[in-house]
Amino acid sequence: LAQASVGLKSKKARETTMASGSAEKSPDAFQDEDKPGVCRKCAESSLDCFAFLGRGAVATGGAVATVTKQCAYPVKESLLATADSTSNYLHPWQQKLPSDSHVPTFRM
């Protein structure tokens, strides 16, 4: 019980000195723990900047890949069609034609 009363007295004493706005604070006094320091602010700002640049680079890379796919597909298909056409012209037996069926048909 004695320790509890001493703890209450010291707590009350601290509250009254803080409430009275003690002018005894020195420039060397501890910094508020709630407020981040200058180095921490600079580090967080730098990390935010790097995150911004990283997200931009990833988004740009994805867009470039999509555009490349969309633009390259028609070019690839036209090259393959040209190669197939040339091959069919030079080697006519390679053409894909329906086979002739020698089955009799009936017409009415």
Side-chain angles (χ1 to χ4, degrees):
L1 186 65
Q3 288 178 347
S5 64
V6 170
L8 289 176
K9 287 180 186 177
S10 62
K11 185 176 178 184
K12 287 181 183 178
R14 278 185 274 152
E15 288 175 356
T16 56
T17 55
M18 288 174 44
S20 66
S22 65
E24 300 165 3
K25 290 184 181 178
S26 67
D28 297 332
F30 69 94
Q31 186 180 7
D32 256 351
E33 292 180 15
D34 295 339
K35 296 181 183 177
V38 177
C39 291
R40 177 148 181 143
K41 285 181 184 179
C42 182
E44 287 180 357
S45 298
S46 298
L47 290 174
D48 283 342
C49 181
F50 292 143
F52 169 75
L53 294 174
R55 283 191 304 268
V58 168
T60 302
V64 166
T66 301
V67 167
T68 302
K69 283 188 227 175
Q70 295 293 324
C71 291
Y73 182 75
V75 173
K76 179 192 82 160
E77 288 299 315
S78 65
L79 287 174
L80 289 175
T82 303
D84 287 342
S85 174
T86 303
S87 177
N88 289 337
Y89 179 77
L90 295 175
H91 311 286
W93 61 87
Q94 291 179 345
Q95 289 180 355
K96 298 190 189 300
L97 298 172
S99 63
D100 293 332
S101 63
H102 301 292
V103 177
T105 58
F106 301 98
R107 293 184 192 196
M108 288 193 186

